[in-house]
Structure formats: structure tokens, C-alpha cells
Amino acid sequence: MKSPIFNFCLSICIVALFCCSCKDNTKGKQKSELAQQSKKSLSSADSVLFHFWDKFAMQDTALVKSPEKGEQQLADFLQLLAQTPDSATRDKAVDLMLDKAQINRISFDYFIKQYEHYLYDGNSPMRNDIVYESVLRYLIKTDLLSNLEKEAYRPTYKLVLRNKEGQTAEDFTYELTYGKKQKLSDIKSRYTFLIFYDPDCSHCKETIQQLRDTPQLVQLFAQLKVQVVAIDPWGDRTKWKNYQWQLAEQWINGFDSESKILSFNIYDLKASPTIYLLDENKKVLLKDTYLQQVITYFVKTNP
């Protein structure tokens, strides 16, 4: 009998990857051979990253700025970086690429802008703080940039380091609809689906409606004991109160009455909505994610 989550996955056409396990009956020698093969595979993947730009002519400005050449090359590179779990490997790959780009300052500046566009723009489907962190680390240490130029990147670098996956989500206080105040850390649930929304944001409205009105989603969240926490951080009480009918009754509907989330950059709200998935201890499982990615995570971890 298939699990409810599996059936749910099929009903909304979300493709999920399942990890299979089997009994290990291999001998010590076979285990060693498998380990060596795995090591070789990882080394091969690293080698592809480290030599990805070897044959690319950074001095050719037209090539660099061509959407079919330079931009596509960067997009392919970013996909590989996003699949690389080791931060040291990502850092080295980015360092090698940007060191090579320094041969032409126009090329260097172009790629820096493209990195920001793909990895940090709130509207980019490829935005990825983990990969952008490697880029920012390079920018604040390279000798090519002046101290003033480096300082311009430090605030963003500090932001991407906050609330990373695996860290405890930073706590904050919010006001409830009946006036009481409580903290994020007060919530007791297996998972916390934290969504920062803007009442004027059409994409926020679409996400909220899908989360509220899709029966399979409602059932899934109830089954997994997921508490939805919807926070309006923008400080307009009237808009917040007028928006309450859009939210489900069982959700926590919070308002940052003192605007501390934005004022102190407690969370990086470059996109609306901004979604985090937290575990029962408020550790970040998914940062700045999408609803479908949350569902895929549930399918993979709760078969």
C-alpha cells in the first residue's frame, strides 16, 4: 500500500527522488573497492569544475557577453556548483574561474553582475545563497578590487551567512491578531513552515491560496504536524488586518509591529514571499525556498 505522501505527490504532479536502501552483504575487500570508486567519482566531478573554464577565452568581450556563449557557460557552471555539497570545492572552483576572468576587467565585472543576477536576485529561480557565498568570499579578499569596493559586498555577505541550512533560525517576536505577542521559538510542532509575505504581493497571494485551498496539501501538513507561520514584516497594521481573511484559521498569523525583522536584517527578505522550513528545534532545513521544494523534501524524508 502506497503512503499518503506518495499518493499526494502523484496528485499534484511533483517529481520526487526516492533513496533506496539494501542489506550490505559485501566483504571488506568489496567495500574498499566501492569506496575507492566513490572517491574517484568525486575527484572526477571536482576536476570538471576546476577545469570548466580552461578553454574559455575571457579576453574576448563579445564571447563573454554573448547569451549563447558566456551567459550559458555560466548557467551550466552554476548548476554544477549547486550540486556540489563541499564548500571548499565550491570556493576553489569559483576562485579559479574569477582569477581567470581577471585578465579582462570588462569580463570580470560582467560575470560578477551575472553571479548576482542568477544567485541573489529575488526573482531568479536559480537564486542560491550557498553558491553566492563563495562568490562573495572571493570578492572581499581579491586584490583586484579596492577596499571601498570590497566593503560594498560585506553587508550582503553577512546576510547570506544568517539563517543558513543547519543553523538555528534567528528568533523574533511577533504580534498575534488578538494583540498577544509571542516568539518563533515558542512554537511547538514537528515542522514550521515560515512564510514572510507582503499583503500587496500577487505571488504571495497565489502561494497562500494554494497552501490554504489544496485539500491534499492541507492533509499533508496536518499529517506531518506542520505549523504554518505567516508573518507580515512590512509594518502596515491596516493592510495586515485587512489581509487576515486570506489566511487559514489554523495558521499562526503574525505581525512585526516594531519592524525589527527588516530594520535589523534578521532575515534576508529579497523575495516575496520568502519561505523557510524549520524542524522541531527550529533548525533551518530549507532556506529561501519554494512551496514545491518543501513538498519534495517531505516526500524524500517521509516515505
Side-chain angles (χ1 to χ4, degrees):
M1 180 176 179
K2 297 186 181 301
S3 68
I5 300 178
F6 182 81
N7 292 330
F8 167 74
C9 175
L10 291 178
S11 68
I12 60 173
C13 301
I14 294 177
V15 178
L17 299 176
F18 290 86
C19 297
C20 298
S21 61
C22 59
K23 187 176 181 181
D24 186 3
N25 294 317
T26 59
K27 301 297 183 180
K29 182 178 179 180
Q30 291 172 314
K31 289 182 179 180
S32 177
E33 290 175 351
L34 289 172
Q36 289 297 324
Q37 291 174 2
S38 177
K39 184 176 181 180
K40 288 179 181 178
S41 177
L42 289 173
S43 299
S44 176
D46 292 351
S47 180
V48 170
L49 270 175
F50 296 158
H51 296 283
F52 195 85
W53 296 90
D54 285 359
K55 297 181 180 180
F56 190 86
M58 290 290 186
Q59 68 274 18
D60 187 341
T61 303
L63 177 70
V64 167
K65 293 189 174 184
S66 168
E68 295 78 18
K69 301 295 183 179
E71 187 172 352
Q72 185 60 56
Q73 178 98 348
L74 181 64
D76 294 341
F77 183 57
L78 292 179
Q79 287 184 341
L80 291 178
L81 286 174
Q83 297 167 11
T84 303
D86 182 57
S87 61
T89 300
R90 291 194 302 270
D91 283 357
K92 182 177 179 180
V94 170
D95 287 359
L96 289 169
M97 181 271 183
L98 289 176
D99 281 346
K100 182 176 175 64
Q102 286 195 27
I103 193 173
N104 182 350
R105 184 59 191 259
I106 294 177
S107 297
F108 182 87
D109 290 342
Y110 171 81
F111 279 121
I112 292 306
K113 291 294 184 184
Q114 289 301 308
Y115 273 126
E116 181 179 2
H117 169 70
Y118 275 103
L119 298 176
Y120 197 66
D121 189 289
N123 295 315
S124 170
M126 292 182 67
R127 68 178 185 267
N128 189 317
D129 279 5
I130 294 175
V131 176
Y132 196 46
E133 183 182 329
S134 295
V135 177
L136 291 169
R137 257 196 294 273
Y138 181 94
L139 294 176
I140 61 179
K141 72 180 181 183
T142 179
D143 293 333
L144 183 65
L145 300 181
S146 68
N147 289 334
L148 185 60
E149 288 173 314
K150 292 178 185 179
E151 286 301 315
Y153 291 108
R154 291 191 186 278
T156 303
Y157 183 57
K158 290 180 180 179
L159 270 178
V160 301
L161 293 179
R162 302 186 84 159
N163 300 298
K164 292 173 62 175
E165 292 181 8
Q167 293 181 350
T168 300
E170 298 196 39
D171 208 5
F172 59 90
T173 301
Y174 53 88
E175 181 181 328
L176 297 170
T177 54
Y178 48 87
K180 180 182 177 181
K181 291 188 177 182
Q182 68 178 32
K183 294 183 176 181
L184 178 67
S185 57
D186 295 332
I187 298 169
K188 307 299 180 185
S189 61
R190 184 181 178 189
Y191 295 105
T192 298
F193 182 95
L194 176 61
I195 175 170
F196 296 97
Y197 72 93
D198 179 351
D200 293 329
C201 164
S202 59
H203 189 199
C204 297
K205 184 177 181 180
E206 292 171 1
T207 301
I208 287 170
Q209 287 179 341
Q210 183 180 1
L211 188 60
R212 182 196 65 194
D213 298 335
T214 306
Q216 297 95 332
L217 266 176
V218 175
Q219 180 183 357
L220 176 68
F221 274 46
Q223 176 189 347
L224 294 179
K225 299 180 181 179
V226 182
Q227 177 64 66
V228 177
V229 181
I231 303 293
D232 177 357
W234 300 101
D236 191 319
R237 186 179 296 277
T238 300
K239 287 184 178 181
W240 172 62
K241 285 187 173 295
N242 290 339
Y243 201 80
Q244 290 181 23
W245 67 274
Q246 300 272 8
L247 308 179
E249 291 184 2
Q250 65 270 29
W251 296 358
I252 293 176
N253 178 19
F255 179 65
D256 183 11
S257 57
E258 299 178 7
S259 298
K260 286 188 175 181
I261 293 172
L262 291 174
S263 299
F264 294 96
N265 288 321
I266 299 175
Y267 286 80
D268 187 6
L269 306 184
K270 57 180 173 288
S272 291
T274 296
I275 296 171
Y276 284 74
L277 181 65
L278 315 178
D279 71 6
E280 60 185 346
N281 298 313
K282 301 302 173 288
K283 291 285 183 65
V284 178
L285 299 174
L286 295 175
K287 175 184 180 180
D288 191 12
T289 187
Y290 301 93
L291 178 56
Q292 287 192 350
Q293 291 174 330
V294 172
I295 298 167
T296 301
Y297 176 88
F298 287 150
V299 172
K300 292 172 65 176
T301 56
N302 300 274

